[in-house]
Amino acid sequence: MFPSTSATASRLLVPAASRRAMAAAASASPPPPQQSVPKAVRVVVKGRVQGVFFRDWTVETARALGLAGWVRNRRDGTVEALLSGEPARVDEMVSRRLPVGPPAATVTAVLPSPADPLDPSEGFHRKPTA
């Protein structure tokens, strides 16, 4: 009814060299995660975005996401920013965070365009009005 112990054991026997190779493979550390190619986007944000803490909110939010770049007011009433970093985080900032902005803002448009990535060590800062 049940296979004999010796029959089961003979099917499960693995040569010692193979067991060592399997153990080494199992205990080897996983390969380091692939570094994604940084992404950079220049955005112009339209709406009620000046005088509502938008630039400071952008600096805080971008730093929390680990992005590099800058933000500034423009004389035409818009806010301009350069966002650089991990693609998923740049996309989150452009598609989820900026369209909402801080509580007092009313964003009507976020217009992105490609840009050259920045060195992450530059951090994220505020620039003077352009």
Side-chain angles (χ1 to χ4, degrees):
M1 185 184 307
F2 295 103
S4 70
T5 306
S6 61
T8 304
S10 66
R11 285 189 311 212
L12 298 177
L13 289 179
V14 177
S18 294
R19 284 195 310 267
R20 283 192 296 272
M22 288 189 308
S27 66
S29 59
Q34 294 273 336
Q35 290 287 356
S36 61
V37 177
K39 176 179 183 176
V41 177
R42 181 183 157 270
V43 294
V44 174
V45 185
K46 295 183 175 187
R48 184 169 176 241
V49 293
Q50 290 192 10
V52 293
F53 193 64
F54 201 93
R55 287 175 297 164
D56 289 336
W57 173 87
T58 301
V59 170
E60 289 176 7
T61 306
R63 285 178 180 169
L65 290 171
L67 300 178
W70 49 263
V71 61
R72 67 180 169 198
N73 281 344
R74 295 190 345 170
R75 285 188 172 79
D76 65 2
T78 62
V79 168
E80 177 182 22
L82 179 67
L83 311 161
S84 180
E86 182 183 320
R89 293 182 177 197
V90 171
D91 291 342
E92 178 178 345
M93 186 73 171
V94 172
S95 64
R96 294 185 59 215
R97 306 286 181 105
L98 289 175
V100 176
T106 304
V107 176
T108 58
V110 177
L111 308 172
S113 59
D116 292 328
L118 299 175
D119 183 338
S121 68
E122 292 185 35
F124 202 92
H125 60 277
R126 219 170 119 162
K127 287 176 83 170
T129 300

